[in-house]
């Protein structure tokens, strides 16, 4: 399975130590870094872009990582927003890169300018 997710805190954190992270600029980079750190430490294939982190693995291991990442972000606010999109295709692995390779092949090996 490929699972893309975005997680962000809102509200005031219970622990004042987390309130200072990004204070005053509405930035969530500290919270996102905490989530991405968990993803990377999981050992699962993953990629992070400006909007989502995508991970590849089996159902239980992928959702365990998302749960732990969401809990880490929860320390930065009183609420958490979580967006998930999944591609569940049993019997396939390596799709994190293979899907992009197939797309590039369909485009004649060149990425569209500006993307």
């Amino acid at each position: 399975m490929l699972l893309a997710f975005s997680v962000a805190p809102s509200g005031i954190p219970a622990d004042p130590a987390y309130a200072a992270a990004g204070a005053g600029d509405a930035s969530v980079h500290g919270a996102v870094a905490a989530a991405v750190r968990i993803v990377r430490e999981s050992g699962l294939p993953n990629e992070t872009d400006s909007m989502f982190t995508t991970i590849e693995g089996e159902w239980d291991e992928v959702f365990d990582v998302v749960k732990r990442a969401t809990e880490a972000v929860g320390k930065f606010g009183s609420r958490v927003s979580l967006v998930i999109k999944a591609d569940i295709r049993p019997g396939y692995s390596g799709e994190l890169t293979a899907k992009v390779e197939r797309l590039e092949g369909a485009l004649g090996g060149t990425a569209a300018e500006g993307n």
Side-chain angles (χ1 to χ4, degrees):
M1 125 182 319
L2 289 176
L3 186 142
F5 76 105
S6 174
V7 60
S10 63
I12 299 170
D15 185 338
Y18 290 94
D25 68 357
S27 177
V28 295
H29 65 272
V32 172
V36 171
R37 188 172 295 114
I38 288 169
V39 170
R40 292 182 179 173
E41 290 173 355
S42 76
L44 295 175
N46 66 85
E47 290 183 354
T48 299
D49 61 35
S50 62
M51 296 289 291
F52 288 92
T53 293
T54 304
I55 54 181
E56 182 172 16
E58 297 299 320
W59 185 278
D60 289 340
E61 61 189 357
V62 167
F63 275 96
D64 174 64
V65 172
V66 171
K67 179 182 180 186
R68 290 186 290 121
T70 302
E71 289 169 346
V73 168
K75 296 176 182 177
F76 290 84
S78 56
R79 294 179 95 153
V80 176
S81 172
L82 174 64
V83 176
I84 295 175
K85 180 175 182 177
D87 180 1
I88 303 162
R89 195 172 185 193
Y92 286 79
S93 63
E95 291 296 285
L96 189 65
T97 55
K99 288 178 80 165
V100 176
E101 289 168 1
R102 288 191 297 272
L103 171 64
E104 291 298 335
L107 292 170
T110 59
E113 191 171 303
N115 289 332

